[in-house]
Structure formats: structure tokens, C-alpha cells
Amino acid sequence: MAKFKFVEWLLLWLQESSHFEFDWDDGNRTKSAKKHSVRTEEAEEVFTTGQAAPLGVQVAPPVHEERLGIVGTTAAGRILHLVFTLRAGKVRPISVRPAHKKERELYEAYLREI
């Protein structure tokens, strides 16, 4: 399982961004739908609801490109965990799945603080 280190700039970026552009690669688009029953539109809602909790920058396992993690809800109230990178100002999702229990608890604690 990936580990993340909190970075404040990700929190500020999520809070201050009003528009997100997405760049789905064909493999990740279908992988999330097949493996985790998460549609791309549903994954994008986590960014647009305005209540995503930043996990931070992935520190383990090591990766060649900076990966970021967030947890947030969809319009239907489903809590998802997303790993993505930023390329040319666009969000490029790498992995999207339903949040595990610990991630849901972290997200609920985050909501109580904001």
C-alpha cells in the first residue's frame, strides 16, 4: 500500500482551484471501472465537490513521477481514494478506488476540522 507525506500546498491547491482539467489515460480509465466500479465522472466529482482531503505526496513505494493522494466524496456520497499526478496543469488519475476504513476515518476527521 502506498504511503503519503502531507504537503500544505496540496491542501491550498484543492481549496483554491475552481476548475480542474483531467487527462485520463485509456488504461487507467478502464482499470478503475473494471476493478473498482468507479466511473471517470464519479472520480472527477471528488475534485469538484470542494471537500477533498489531501493525503499528500507519495513517499513509498518510490516512483519516478510525483504522485499525489486525496480522499473525498462523490455527489452520491461515496468516499473514494485517488492517486494522481499533475501534467501540464491537468489532473492525470493513476488509481481510483473506494476508500478503505482508515482512509474513510481520516476523511471524516478532516471534515470535522474544516
Side-chain angles (χ1 to χ4, degrees):
M1 181 188 279
K3 294 185 180 183
F4 295 87
K5 177 183 175 188
F6 177 79
V7 288
E8 188 173 349
W9 72 261
L10 180 57
L11 172 63
L12 297 173
W13 178 75
L14 288 167
Q15 290 175 339
E16 294 174 1
S17 297
S18 59
H19 176 75
F20 299 93
E21 288 188 53
F22 297 90
D23 179 22
W24 286 90
D25 120 332
D26 289 336
N28 290 338
R29 178 187 308 266
T30 57
K31 175 181 74 173
S32 297
K34 287 179 184 175
K35 191 172 181 181
H36 302 293
S37 298
V38 179
R39 300 177 339 275
T40 56
E41 298 81 12
E42 186 178 26
E44 292 174 6
E45 289 173 2
V46 172
F47 288 88
T48 59
T49 59
Q51 294 187 356
L55 297 175
V57 175
Q58 183 175 323
V59 293
V63 289
H64 297 291
E65 183 175 34
E66 182 177 71
R67 291 184 179 183
L68 306 162
I70 63 172
V71 177
T73 57
T74 65
R78 190 171 179 200
I79 302 175
L80 300 179
H81 174 273
L82 286 95
V83 176
F84 65 98
T85 190
L86 295 172
R87 288 192 191 165
K90 294 181 181 179
V91 173
R92 186 171 179 93
I94 297 167
S95 171
V96 184
R97 60 168 172 74
H100 295 300
K101 181 181 179 186
K102 187 173 181 180
E103 295 159 346
R104 288 191 310 271
E105 290 170 352
L106 181 143
Y107 180 68
E108 290 162 2
Y110 172 79
L111 289 180
R112 287 191 296 272
E113 291 180 16
I114 58 171

